[in-house]
Amino acid sequence: MDFYNIVEKARKTGKIEKGTNEVTKAIELGTAKLVVYAADVNPKEIIAHLPELCKAKGIPCGEVDSKQKLGISAGIPVSAASIAVINAGESAEDIKRLKK
């Protein structure tokens, strides 16, 4: 199961937050179930804090290769630097498997 599929499934059956500011808030509030960020974000500083923040809060975090593909998975017509899954919906089992 890849992160793109999890994000797409969560978007269709649950709830996601798009954009690094919203994702950061979701991590700090503890509402994020999974955070996915793109490796090709420039400058890297935009998303550099996300893995550390997730680690501190015990939230699974993953990197994908393309912000363009991440935007498509999130159902938006532009690229996305990061996405937080708030309500996993049907992707809950997939996220649980990532934690193991």
Side-chain angles (χ1 to χ4, degrees):
M1 178 54 64
D2 71 8
F3 290 117
Y4 296 119
N5 289 338
I6 291 173
V7 168
E8 194 167 342
K9 205 187 284 188
R11 171 180 60 90
K12 290 177 179 171
T13 62
K15 181 178 190 296
I16 62 172
E17 290 289 354
K18 303 168 279 290
T20 304
N21 288 341
E22 294 301 315
V23 170
T24 302
K25 273 188 248 174
I27 297 167
E28 288 172 343
L29 294 171
T31 57
K33 307 282 183 272
L34 168 71
V35 171
V36 180
Y37 60 92
D40 62 348
V41 172
N42 220 348
K44 289 273 185 232
E45 289 77 33
I46 294 171
I47 48 118
H49 66 288
L50 296 177
E52 279 303 309
L53 209 49
C54 286
K55 191 175 176 187
K57 293 280 188 177
I59 298 168
C61 183
E63 184 178 77
V64 293
D65 60 344
S66 165
K67 60 186 178 185
Q68 195 65 50
K69 287 196 273 185
L70 190 55
I72 292 166
S73 307
I76 56 176
V78 292
S79 58
S82 58
I83 301 286
V85 174
I86 305 300
N87 178 342
E90 291 176 10
S91 65
E93 284 301 311
D94 301 325
I95 292 171
K96 239 183 246 169
R97 268 186 246 123
L98 290 174
K99 290 182 177 181
K100 290 177 182 167

